[in-house]
Amino acid sequence: MEQNNKHSEGPLAKAIEEQTAKLPSDIFLWAALGSMGVSLALKFMKSKHTALFVGQWAAPFLLLGIYNKLVKLEGHDKSDDHQ
């Protein structure tokens, strides 16, 4: 796989990646499952709109988990290490 050496991450992205790499990946899975559970509880309590709002958090939590895993596997700009 060829690296694109023309582009690199900015300082903000590098700082965010440093911090997110410290978090265990399963936190995001538990957060997604938790939001679905809270959404179900809210649905039973007849808070339909709040249940829908909280239930929609599951997908972003899972996407953040994927981002977290990619950062851990790839790091920021593997090409930066070779320059």
Side-chain angles (χ1 to χ4, degrees):
M1 185 182 310
E2 185 177 318
Q3 294 284 332
N4 185 354
N5 294 332
K6 294 179 184 177
H7 305 286
S8 64
E9 294 290 348
L12 178 61
K14 287 180 184 180
I16 291 171
E17 288 177 6
E18 268 183 39
Q19 297 306 312
T20 58
K22 295 176 185 176
L23 296 172
S25 297
D26 60 345
I27 282 180
F28 298 101
L29 177 60
W30 287 111
L33 291 172
S35 72
M36 288 186 277
V38 169
S39 175
L40 183 62
L42 288 166
K43 185 80 169 172
F44 284 132
M45 294 174 8
K46 308 284 190 224
S47 275
K48 181 180 177 181
H49 294 291
T50 307
L52 290 172
F53 175 69
V54 172
Q56 291 179 355
W57 296 352
F61 283 138
L62 293 173
L63 286 171
L64 287 168
I66 291 170
Y67 177 78
N68 179 266
K69 185 61 94 172
L70 286 172
V71 166
K72 287 181 178 181
L73 293 175
E74 298 296 325
H76 60 273
D77 290 337
K78 283 280 185 173
S79 62
D80 281 356
D81 298 336
H82 300 350
Q83 290 179 359

